[in-house]
Amino acid sequence: MTPTPIDLDVAIIGGGPGGLATALALTRAVKGTRVKVFERAKTYRPLGAGVGMDVNGMKAIEAIDPALEKWFYANGWTVPVAKTFDERGNEVKSEKMDPGVSMKKYGKRGTILGWYEIQSAFYRALPSDTVVFDSRFQSYEEDSDGVTVHFAGDNPGPVRAKVLIGADGYFSAVRQQCLNDGPPDFAGTVCWRARVNMKQPLEYSSWYFGAEKVGLLYPISADHMVWTGSAPIKLVKEAGVDFDPSNGGRFRASTQAIEGVDNALERCLKVFEGYPEAFLEVVRETDPRAVAEHGIFTRQAEALPADGWGRGRVTLIGDAAHPVRPTGQGLNMTMEDAAELAWHVQQHGLTAEALRSFELERIPRVGVIVKKAQQQGEAAYKKHAQDASQDNRRFALEDDYTDFKNKKNFRPLYISDITS
Ligand SMILES: Cc1cc2nc3c(=O)[nH]c(=O)nc-3n(C[C@H](O)[C@H](O)[C@H](O)COP(=O)(O)OP(=O)(O)OC[C@H]3O[C@@H](n4cnc5c(N)ncnc54)[C@H](O)[C@@H]3O)c2cc1C
């Protein structure tokens, strides 16, 4: 006997920060919307490292839920000084980070949080039965009234919804069925990162450039910090570390449940041999099980589909829609997606029209960020720290980039009387 489908307004695939933020935005934008998030993990575990929320991401969160914005600022961390070092550990630059400048210019400032804290904050803000764990999306069928969604092992059984949102990350299975445009491109860089306890408070963030690698240390709270190290595949191979982004294996799994990759710490240390002790000391002392290793994947701005990245009653958000190099905008753009999608649904209802108008409005903005992140990412891996830090900063500060990131205000999504 065919089971009766679970009947919903919105089915979201993927319970990362993007899927959760979208669920919250939709429930706030349209009163009574029945939303569920289907997540393949069995439960949430304290994974991830840290995230720098930028002005644009904070504005989007404010539009979604002003109380949550307050929580982000109350629990986020700011770093008063950013220092840059070369590959020998010599200080190249020290910059004061004054949040007042950003407040004056944009009415908001950035803040730093642990990735897991961000995911947990969105999860807590939703009704407790919103996320359905252990549900791996498999396929969907669309007809004139809605979408029927199927999951691996038929768990939790078929789901019927007016719209389907793919928030399932870099290697989105929803995108694969919807657009069938293949996996994202390997950007040529491998990244390691971890969150560690701090013995003493860290008063500044440290960037290490030079020798064609990038290292970064930054605090995310009074007692935790994050390190990241990234290097081009050429250097990874030269260090004798085997990494094949095309093998479809565990590394290709990228940011999905990445922690605990065998020997990731050892492999990172091999690649970063000879790097400054102040960086390596922190890396060496990390619990090996906490180290995430993954390739960086992206889709070029030119590859953004001009007619929208969804079809019919299906759309995508976050990394599924526009994976970018990690220059600090991935999660911020994902928050923008959540706020904007909900606004378009508020205007046009749960219709294909709402999804297309959301995508078409997002494409030019996302295109600029994807392009700049690509340039900024490429400019970081220089032989000499001076060249890398100057170029990295130049792209980060270019007017069209910062203005595009920061000037936009998102329309508040107060609970309205509009019903789905
Ligand atoms: C465990 C983890 C840790 C991360 N840590 C960091 C970090 O420290 N710093 C940082 O900047 N970024 C981190 N990221 C990436 C960051 O969240 C994204 O780059 C970006 O913010 C976009 O978020 P997203 O929700 O679109 O995608 P993601 O965060 O990748 O979330 C996608 C979600 O979809 C789920 N999923 C995938 N396929 C299916 C399927 N078939 N069925 C059901 N569910 C599925 C995944 O399990 C995941 O929960 C991490 C991502 C993950 C998954």
Side-chain angles (χ1 to χ4, degrees):
M1 202 174 80
T2 317
T4 316
I6 300 167
D7 189 33
L8 296 173
D9 294 316
V10 183
I12 299 176
I13 308 300
L20 298 178
T22 304
L24 183 63
L26 286 167
T27 50
R28 285 186 57 84
V30 186
K31 203 172 173 180
T33 307
R34 297 165 306 151
V35 185
K36 286 218 188 285
V37 176
F38 298 91
E39 166 57 46
R40 68 180 173 186
K42 288 198 167 61
T43 183
Y44 286 140
R45 289 186 299 130
L47 297 172
V51 176
M53 292 307 305
D54 213 324
V55 167
N56 56 322
M58 291 309 297
K59 283 186 179 175
I61 291 172
E62 181 191 28
I64 295 169
D65 185 350
L68 206 54
E69 184 213 8
K70 282 201 182 77
W71 182 90
F72 268 66
Y73 280 131
N75 292 277
W77 199 252
T78 46
V79 188
V81 177
K83 289 183 186 269
T84 303
F85 299 90
D86 68 13
E87 70 280 9
R88 292 196 184 85
N90 301 313
E91 189 176 314
V92 178
K93 203 164 47 182
S94 177
E95 288 173 275
K96 267 201 164 149
M97 312 300 284
D98 180 1
V101 174
S102 173
M103 289 302 292
K104 204 162 156 196
K105 202 163 172 197
Y106 304 116
K108 287 260 179 292
R109 61 176 172 84
T111 187
I112 303 170
L113 290 108
W115 182 88
Y116 180 63
E117 278 78 3
I118 293 179
Q119 186 184 48
S120 306
F122 279 112
Y123 181 63
R124 278 195 309 269
L126 286 161
S128 60
D129 59 349
T130 305
V131 181
V132 185
F133 290 104
D134 202 9
S135 313
R136 181 184 289 267
F137 166 86
Q138 206 157 45
S139 63
Y140 69 84
E141 294 135 29
E142 188 181 345
D143 54 51
S144 55
D145 303 325
V147 184
T148 306
V149 190
H150 303 281
F151 295 86
D154 218 8
N155 185 29
V159 168
R160 181 82 188 151
K162 289 177 187 152
V163 300
L164 171 67
I165 300 170
D168 48 345
Y170 269 10
F171 298 102
S172 167
V174 177
R175 179 174 185 132
Q176 212 167 317
Q177 183 177 345
C178 184
L179 296 180
N180 194 22
D181 59 353
D185 307 319
F186 176 52
T189 320
V190 183
C191 174
W192 292 267
R193 63 182 158 201
R195 172 185 177 141
V196 293
N197 292 330
M198 280 189 298
K199 288 187 192 127
Q200 56 203 44
L202 198 66
E203 279 154 16
Y204 53 86
S205 61
S206 306
W207 284 94
Y208 294 88
F209 287 113
E212 296 173 80
K213 298 170 202 168
V214 179
L216 172 62
L217 307 175
Y218 63 96
I220 54 169
S221 70
D223 48 11
H224 282 98
M225 66 182 288
V226 163
W227 63 261
T228 68
S230 55
I233 185 83
K234 179 187 77 162
L235 298 192
V236 174
K237 293 219 153 123
E238 277 171 21
V241 169
D242 176 36
F243 186 96
D244 180 3
S246 64
N247 73 2
R250 57 189 177 165
F251 304 120
R252 203 172 157 276
S254 180
T255 51
Q256 327 286 351
I258 39 187
E259 261 143 302
V261 173
D262 289 351
N263 303 329
L265 176 59
E266 209 179 290
R267 294 150 64 81
C268 173
L269 284 168
K270 262 194 193 172
V271 174
F272 277 83
E273 199 179 308
Y275 230 51
E277 263 310 299
F279 175 72
L280 290 180
E281 229 170 54
V282 179
V283 176
R284 259 189 230 112
E285 285 185 14
T286 309
D287 177 347
R289 289 166 304 178
V291 180
E293 177 187 68
H294 63 97
I296 305 283
F297 291 84
T298 182
R299 291 183 192 270
Q300 302 291 334
E302 296 72 30
L304 283 163
D307 52 350
W309 54 57
R311 298 287 179 265
R313 291 173 171 272
V314 182
T315 192
L316 308 168
I317 61 117
D319 281 359
H322 44 72
V324 284
R325 271 176 173 266
T327 51
Q329 273 298 309
L331 196 94
N332 288 290
M333 294 305 277
T334 303
M335 295 298 111
E336 290 194 4
D337 285 346
E340 289 289 59
L341 174 59
W343 186 84
H344 285 274
V345 167
Q346 210 174 43
Q347 307 310 305
H348 304 287
L350 287 165
T351 58
E353 188 194 0
L355 308 188
R356 288 308 83 67
S357 70
F358 152 71
E359 294 160 6
L360 295 181
E361 191 173 311
R362 292 294 292 146
I363 282 172
R365 182 164 174 85
V366 166
V368 170
I369 301 287
V370 170
K371 212 175 258 174
K372 291 292 173 178
Q374 184 71 15
Q375 291 169 325
Q376 204 183 334
E378 281 163 9
Y381 303 95
K382 292 272 170 67
K383 279 205 161 63
H384 304 293
Q386 285 281 15
D387 300 341
S389 75
Q390 264 163 26
D391 274 356
N392 192 53
R393 225 44 212 130
R394 179 163 61 84
F395 288 119
L397 295 177
E398 271 178 11
D399 277 353
D400 59 342
Y401 187 37
T402 45
D403 285 356
F404 223 64
K405 275 199 310 189
N406 300 332
K407 285 237 170 96
K408 184 174 171 72
N409 287 312
F410 297 90
R411 296 153 282 214
L413 299 168
Y414 300 124
I415 296 174
S416 73
D417 289 321
I418 307 167
T419 48
S420 55

